[in-house]
Amino acid sequence: MTHTDILAKSGLTAADLTGGSLAVRSPVDGAALATVTEIDAAAMPGVIASAKAAFNEWRKVPGPKRGELVRILGEELRAEKETLGRLVTLECGKIYQEGLGEVQEMIDICDFAVGLSRQLHGLTIASERPDHAMRETWHPAGVVAVISAFNFPVAVWAWNTALALICGDSVIWKPSEKTPLTAIACQKILDRALARFADAPAGLHHTVIGGRAVGEALVDSPDVAIVSATGSTRMGREVAPKVAARFGRSILELGGNNAMIVTPSADLEMAVRAIVFSAVGTCGQRCTSLRRLIVHRSVKDQLLSRLTAAYKSVRIGNPLLDGTLVGPLIDKASFDGFSAAIANAKAEGGTVLTGGERTLTAEFPDAYYVTPAIVDMPAQSAVVKHETFAPILYVLTYDDFDQAVHLQNDVPQGLSSCIFTTDVRESEFFLSAQGSDCGIANVNIGPSGAEIGGAFGGEKETGGGRESGSDAWKGYMRRQTNTVNYGRSLPLAQGIKFDL
């Protein structure tokens, strides 16, 4: 299937693909895909006003009825799974299997949200006063801005939007400028769901294509109740203070510098499989990609021998073709970051065991394919503590388990982590308050590939936000405590006497 075929099958028309100023290129081969029209930042107040008006109506709709819209969206996504998955691959470069997996994640969160729409429950609370009842209720929060990144161009939108819609919020989505076509396709899919639902207010969901000024309009507006932003720590440092200054709320999903501890008792065969997928999947461009391998000295040589052999067998190439396991980096800037990190690692005493080079230049001269790198480091130096969004795996050696846990935690980021061990004491310590300081901690699986049932997010420079499953829905609502006096007197709390 050609690029043109994929675009056409995705429902993208000439009006969607031409006449704008934002050039879109495929990382697969560098081919020009479109010139997309960007919204004028001056139009953003009108968009926000439209979303706010829609919220005022949508919040009146019962939660289970709101869930019906998301159920229909899930049906539309099921019908478009293969098509949208292929478009994800074309525009962001992850292999087709991962593109399909990303769309399945969208479907899964819709299913989760539909059930949740009947479970937006609070608490009943015992009152200290006679003939009084206390309860906690949850109400829609308002307009939710979703600012997403290129590496998961559609799943992160679905995480936020499915929950926001069933919670009674309206949504404005600003996708990455690197992946606007998948966003336009998702808006079309949602439009079909809205047409079938036939009872949603106009302006319930907007997709706005644009750069920094568009994002700033969302971040700065007091009419945007919640800003859910996925991206770099640098971006988060700009977003969070601005939202906080106007007393808005932010859900931040930022950097990850994820580690795996491999202990002497680990199943090395299973560990190798987990390492390879976690470190080279999406060409190392997941926020949950494995970046640090902390391995016990006694098993290091055996593990690295197997691991380097596995790396050399990984098939790099066109991600649209079956059998490819590693596609390209998104663009030249990412390749430059990859190359600089390799050079810095060498300068800091690292030894490149395999990979670290650009490849397939004859076949794809305008794209940026690289060989995933394994770098043995003498210490957790500056380059190791910095998140490079590329397939570089730094290897660190430990002798004492406490040292391994310290290395795992001794980075600015705190997203995902894992340990491979068959020692229950080690695994339970790793999951305890004294163990991993990350928002995600796994035993005998890698750090990437999270299911939607759990809350997703991390600590420290990862931003502290939570999306997707568990009780992450509470981030899209406002909490209210209610007290009802059903008696005929007015006792005060704390036994206070105030007699007139």
Side-chain angles (χ1 to χ4, degrees), residues 112-259:
F112 178 88
V114 172
L116 184 62
S117 68
R118 294 181 180 269
Q119 300 178 68
L120 301 172
H121 51 72
L123 302 170
T124 56
I125 305 167
S127 174
E128 67 185 65
R129 288 170 283 187
D131 298 330
H132 281 58
M134 292 182 66
R135 62 179 180 245
E136 180 182 85
T137 54
W138 292 86
H139 298 300
V143 179
V144 175
V146 180
I147 301 173
S148 60
F150 78 86
N151 58 326
F152 277 84
V154 294
V156 171
W157 166 72
W159 286 358
N160 285 274
T161 299
L163 294 189
L165 290 177
I166 63 102
C167 286
D169 303 323
S170 58
V171 177
I172 303 173
W173 179 22
K174 182 200 170 304
S176 167
E177 301 97 301
K178 296 179 182 181
T179 52
L181 301 183
T182 45
I184 295 170
C186 285
Q187 181 67 60
K188 290 175 181 286
I189 292 170
L190 178 57
D191 286 344
R192 291 198 292 273
L194 287 164
R196 288 176 56 190
F197 181 74
D199 200 23
L204 183 61
H205 184 280
H206 298 263
T207 298
V208 291
I209 309 296
R212 182 184 180 93
V214 173
E216 288 178 340
L218 294 170
V219 168
D220 293 339
S221 174
D223 288 328
V224 175
I226 297 165
V227 176
S228 177
T230 301
S232 67
T233 297
R234 177 193 57 76
M235 180 270 288
R237 290 190 196 281
E238 296 187 29
V239 169
K242 290 183 176 182
V243 176
R246 59 175 178 82
F247 298 103
R249 284 156 48 192
S250 57
I251 301 172
L252 299 177
E253 297 290 352
L254 309 175
N257 194 345
N258 316 293

Side-chain angles (χ1 to χ4, degrees), residues 291-310:
R291 309 207 181 281
R292 296 176 296 135
L293 182 62
I294 303 168
V295 57
H296 192 271
R297 192 177 303 276
S298 66
V299 295
K300 177 180 177 181
D301 290 345
Q302 186 181 2
L303 177 64
L304 290 184
S305 175
R306 296 185 186 188
L307 189 59
T308 52

